[in-house]
Each structure stands twice: as structure tokens, then as C-alpha cells.
């Protein structure tokens, strides 16, 4: 019987336990991955705590929206993928914190990309590509990005800059240098932010990857809510702003596009560290404490 980090209920990190789970078989269009690494996303933390019950979780749910590993089994209708292939996958049904995971969306992992980097890519890359497409930002336009130092923001900055888009990146003090290195113009969070942005020129679109109550400023700077999209602010509807959630047509091909850039050294990910998957509860505890600025990737030997 394989093992996984199961959620024994909603609550603090201690509800996460390493335990045996039934082995599942891949269905139509699915593969089963023998997991080598799995990313922890901010959504994992709020799901575990029970803050977002709009996504119902079954008993003994296994968290994790992204994982990388080798193909262990293929389901009916799968072509172009063989047992033993290295892949990175976006897991819509969760399940990444496990020895084995089922996936419907994946791409081949180039040899030059590490397992840890491959596991850190999928959900952030899909969100970054998807929102940029929804905003339809063009070369020569200016994009204001909130959360520029986060996993999604870092990828979105690089994709936008490569397309000739001017990026103004709202960041904390510790991410100012990073924003500049990625080709953005940093502006510091805090009182007076809107004025600091205005001093840099007009804004065509706003991408909120932070969800820190910035929508009023975003709308004022963009001249209305039409080209403002948030990934994280639950108050979006109150402001008439689009709250972007995953759909199958938000960013098809995002993994293929970004894994190629990562393999070529043309894409940088947020700094991350790793911990054994069996220590998932401790990883959640460290992330919630606010003392860890890096992402944590769970690994299996």
C-alpha cells in the first residue's frame, strides 16, 4: 500500500499525517506518476485550515496541486507518453503530497530541469500565463503587478517583459532588487503607493497576484475595473473586478511553454528550499509562521 500525507480533518498543520492509502488506477486520459517532488501552494494552507470550503475535500484528502516524477502507469486514450518518462503535472484533483498521483495535465520534463524546479512550476506558471492572456496585455502597454515577488508574480513579470510590456511591480523591500533583475520597475507597498505608480506613467492593466486589499487603488490607476484581474482577493465581486480561477481554457499549453523556457535558462522561479514529504506538517507550520520567505518543495527519495 502506498503512502501519502492525508488530511485527518480541517485545522492546524498537525492534521496532516503520513499514512497508507489505496493505490488508484489512471482513468481515461490520465497518467499515474511516481512522485519525486511536490509543491506547496498558499491555497494548500487555506484549504487545510478550512478557510475555503467552496472546494469540498473528501475524508483523508491529499493536498498538492503540482508534482513531478516518473510515469508509472497510463490510462486509456493516453498517447505520446510512456512508462518511465519524467513529467511535471498540474493536479486539478489535488493529490501531490503522495508517493503516487494521478494527472490529466502534464508535460515532459527536460533533463536539464531538476525534479524540484519541475514541481515548483505548474500552478504558478498556469496562473501567470492565464491571467496575462485574460488581460490581453500587448507590447508597449504598461502592466501594474501586485505580488511581484511571489511565485506567480515572478513568472508573470518575466513573460510580460519578454513580450515588450512595461511592468511596474509592487513589492516589499526585500524584493525590490529581484524585481529590477527581472526587468520590472519596483514600487514599494504601503501608504502613497498609488502616487508612486502615477509618477511612473499611465497604467493599462492590473494583475493582482497578492490579494492584499489593493483593488480600490488598482481600479483608480487602470481607469476602471475592466482590465483589473485578481487571483487572490475574495472582495473582487464587490469592486466589479474579475476573480480569475482555473478553467481548462484559461491557459492551455502553459506548461509546455514555461518548461521550455525553464530548460533554456530563460525563466527564473521564486527561491525555494526542500523538505522530506513526511515532514509536510512542519513545512506548513514554517510557511504559516511567516519566517520562511522561500517556497517549500516536498521531496521523496
Amino acid at each position: 500500500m502506498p503512502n501519502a500525507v492525508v488530511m485527518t480533518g480541517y485545522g492546524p498543520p498537525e492534521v496532516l499525517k503520513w499514512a497508507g492509502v489505496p493505490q488508484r488506477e489512471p482513468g481515461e486520459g490520465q497518467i499515474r506518476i511516481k512522485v519525486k517532488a511536490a509543491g506547496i501552494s498558499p491555497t494548500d494552507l487555506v484549504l487545510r485550515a478550512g478557510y475555503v470550503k467552496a472546494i469540498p475535500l473528501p475524508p483523508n484528502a491529499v493536498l498538492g496541486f503540482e508534482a513531478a516524477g516518473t510515469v508509472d502507469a497510463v490510462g486509456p486514450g493516453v498517447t505520446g507518453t510512456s512508462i518511465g518518462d519524467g513529467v511535471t503535472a498540474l493536479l486539478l484533483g489535488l493529490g501531490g503530497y503522495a508517493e503516487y498521483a494521478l494527472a490529466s495535465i502534464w508535460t515532459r520534463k527536460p533533463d536539464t530541469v531538476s525534479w524540484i524546479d519541475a514541481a515548483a512550476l505548474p500552478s504558478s506558471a498556469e496562473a501567470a500565463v492565464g491571467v496575462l492572456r485574460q488581460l490581453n496585455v500587448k507590447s508597449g502597454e504598461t502592466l501594474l503587478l501586485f505580488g511581484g515577488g511571489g511565485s506567480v508574480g515572478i513568472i508573470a513579470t518575466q513573460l510580460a517583459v519578454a513580450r515588450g510590456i512595461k511592468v511596474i511591480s509592487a513589492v516589499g523591500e526585500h524584493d525590490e532588487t529581484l524585481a529590477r533583475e527581472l526587468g520590472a520597475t519596483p514600487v514599494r507597498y504601503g501608504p502613497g503607493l498609488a502616487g508612486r505608480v502615477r509618477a511612473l506613467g499611465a497604467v493599462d492593466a492590473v494583475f493582482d497576484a497578492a490579494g492584499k486589499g489593493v483593488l480600490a487603488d488598482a481600479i483608480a490607476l487602470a481607469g476602471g475595473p475592466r482590465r483589473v484581474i485578481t487571483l487572490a482577493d475574495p472582495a473582487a465581486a464587490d469592486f466589479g473586478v474579475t476573480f480569475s480561477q482555473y478553467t481548462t481554457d484559461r491557459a492551455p499549453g502553459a506548461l509546455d511553454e514555461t518548461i521550455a523556457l525553464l530548460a533554456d535558462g530563460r525563466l527564473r522561479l521564486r527561491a525555494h528550499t526542500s523538505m522530506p514529504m513526511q515532514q509536510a506538517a512542519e513545512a506548513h507550520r514554517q510557511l504559516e509562521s511567516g519566517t520562511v520567505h522561500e517556497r517549500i518543495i516536498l521531496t521523496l527519495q
Side-chain angles (χ1 to χ4, degrees):
M1 177 180 281
N3 290 306
V5 178
V6 301
M7 234 177 79
T8 57
Y10 292 105
E14 289 75 22
V15 301
L16 299 177
K17 305 291 185 186
W18 184 247
V21 294
Q23 182 64 287
R24 298 187 296 159
E25 298 302 321
E28 181 77 27
Q30 288 187 320
I31 58 171
R32 188 172 66 206
I33 301 168
K34 185 172 173 54
V35 175
K36 290 187 175 288
I40 299 177
S41 77
T43 306
D44 293 345
L45 306 184
V46 296
L47 284 174
R48 188 216 71 235
Y51 297 144
V52 183
K53 295 192 176 169
I55 304 175
L57 297 177
N60 293 323
V62 177
L63 297 172
F65 287 99
E66 53 194 351
T70 55
V71 178
D72 170 70
V74 298
V78 173
T79 59
T81 300
S82 304
I83 291 172
D85 286 350
V87 296
T88 181
L90 183 65
L91 308 173
L92 305 183
L94 297 171
Y97 300 9
E99 290 183 321
Y100 294 89
L102 298 182
S104 300
I105 299 172
W106 68 89
T107 194
R108 187 79 176 265
K109 184 191 81 67
D111 293 340
T112 53
V113 176
S114 71
W115 292 113
I116 288 177
D117 280 354
L121 178 73
S123 44
S124 299
E126 190 281 331
V129 172
V131 173
L132 288 176
R133 287 183 187 172
Q134 289 173 319
L135 284 170
N136 194 28
V137 200
K138 303 289 190 186
S139 177
E141 290 191 315
T142 296
L143 173 71
L144 172 60
L145 177 64
F146 289 99
S151 302
V152 175
I154 286 172
I155 294 175
T157 296
Q158 294 167 89
L159 295 176
V161 168
R163 296 170 192 169
I165 297 161
K166 178 183 176 182
V167 178
I168 299 172
S169 182
V171 292
E173 181 181 1
H174 54 264
D175 286 323
E176 281 192 25
T177 300
L178 170 64
R180 287 195 184 92
E181 289 172 354
L182 297 178
T185 301
V187 292
R188 188 82 64 85
Y189 275 119
L193 180 143
R196 292 191 288 277
V197 173
R198 284 195 181 93
L200 297 171
V203 168
D204 297 294
V206 180
F207 182 161
D208 171 28
K212 294 182 178 176
V214 299
L215 295 184
D217 278 346
I219 291 167
L221 290 164
R226 187 176 65 84
R227 294 188 77 191
V228 178
I229 291 180
T230 182
L231 277 175
D233 197 325
D238 298 337
F239 288 90
V241 166
T242 298
F243 186 100
S244 185
Q245 293 179 293
Y246 175 82
T247 60
T248 53
D249 60 354
R250 181 168 75 170
L255 284 189
D256 297 329
E257 174 188 348
T258 52
I259 197 80
L261 294 172
L262 192 59
D264 292 344
R266 290 182 290 150
L267 186 69
R268 180 171 164 183
L269 300 177
R270 183 179 171 193
H272 47 254
T273 186
S274 63
M275 292 179 66
M277 190 172 288
Q278 294 87 338
Q279 295 177 23
E282 175 60 23
H284 274 229
R285 190 177 299 110
Q286 290 185 18
L287 289 168
E288 287 184 340
S289 73
T291 58
V292 179
H293 185 57
E294 300 173 314
R295 282 201 70 187
I296 298 178
I297 308 298
L298 302 174
T299 59
L300 281 169
Q301 296 301 317

